[in-house]
Amino acid sequence: MNPQYTALANQVVLLIKKHKAQSLQPICELLKENVPHYNWVGFYFMNDETKSLKIGPYAGAETDHVSIPYGTGICGQVALSGKPLIVKDVTTEDNYLACSIETKAEIVMPIYKGEKLVAQLDIDSHKKNPFTSHDQYFLKQICDWISEVL
Ligand code: SME
């Protein structure tokens, strides 16, 4: 992991140890404030009964997308695939829900509790093609830790 991400990952671990399930909001704020290409950071939770995602804690501009049907948008695609999804340029993605006109790219990471997909970490960027394998590795690590306290 690059050194900046290692330092942030250590802070995330401390937040999770201290605040358990209440750490999600401070984690959103920590990531948004410290990674310049993370402009909206938030969680969505799976609801298999309604087949929709419900918004959880987030940092960034208010969004209309508080409930997203499985299959709709980038988050809805991850709800069905269960796999991470990076969209380098949202203008090329047909199945996309715009949160802000400033958003140029997005990464969505699934969060599993054991075998079950329970939530997602969604990050929007104002920069085109900003997400690398470093981001994916870093965020996967965070999602694994968060899974322990959900
Ligand atoms: N862009 C997402 C919707 C959530 S907002 O980015 C906060 C999507 O297409 O699923």
Side-chain angles (χ1 to χ4, degrees):
M1 224 186 298
N2 81 27
Q4 193 216 354
Y5 284 170
T6 304
L8 273 179
N10 290 337
Q11 290 183 62
V12 169
V13 171
L14 291 178
L15 285 172
I16 292 173
K17 279 196 178 142
K18 196 165 167 201
H19 302 291
K20 307 275 189 305
Q22 269 65 54
S23 60
L24 301 189
Q25 183 68 51
I27 289 171
C28 291
E29 284 156 21
L30 180 78
L31 296 181
K32 180 178 177 288
E33 292 316 313
N34 289 281
V35 184
H37 60 284
Y38 293 2
N39 302 108
W40 191 97
V41 180
F43 292 92
Y44 281 95
F45 291 95
M46 303 284 289
N47 184 332
D48 289 341
E49 274 169 34
T50 60
K51 302 228 175 303
S52 65
L53 291 155
K54 186 171 178 277
I55 201 160
Y58 67 90
E62 215 174 293
T63 175
D64 290 339
H65 303 300
V66 294
S67 174
I68 300 176
Y70 290 0
T72 301
I74 297 167
C75 297
Q77 292 181 58
V78 172
L80 296 182
S81 73
K83 293 193 184 124
L85 185 54
I86 294 177
V87 176
K88 296 175 182 175
D89 174 358
V90 295
T91 62
T92 65
E93 174 62 55
D94 292 335
N95 191 359
Y96 165 67
L97 297 170
C99 195
S100 146
I101 50 161
E102 286 184 286
T103 299
K104 304 254 185 333
E106 182 158 345
I107 183 169
V108 179
M109 298 296 296
I111 302 176
Y112 283 88
K113 187 94 190 152
E115 300 283 299
K116 192 170 161 52
L117 178 60
V118 292
Q120 302 179 356
L121 173 57
D122 177 21
I123 301 182
D124 291 359
S125 182
H126 295 171
K127 215 176 141 199
K128 214 182 258 189
N129 196 11
F131 301 114
T132 66
S133 56
H134 293 288
D135 293 282
Q136 198 168 331
Y137 181 82
F138 168 61
L139 297 172
K140 159 94 172 59
Q141 187 95 79
I142 290 174
C143 289
D144 287 347
W145 289 326
I146 287 171
S147 145
E148 307 272 317
V149 292
L150 289 182

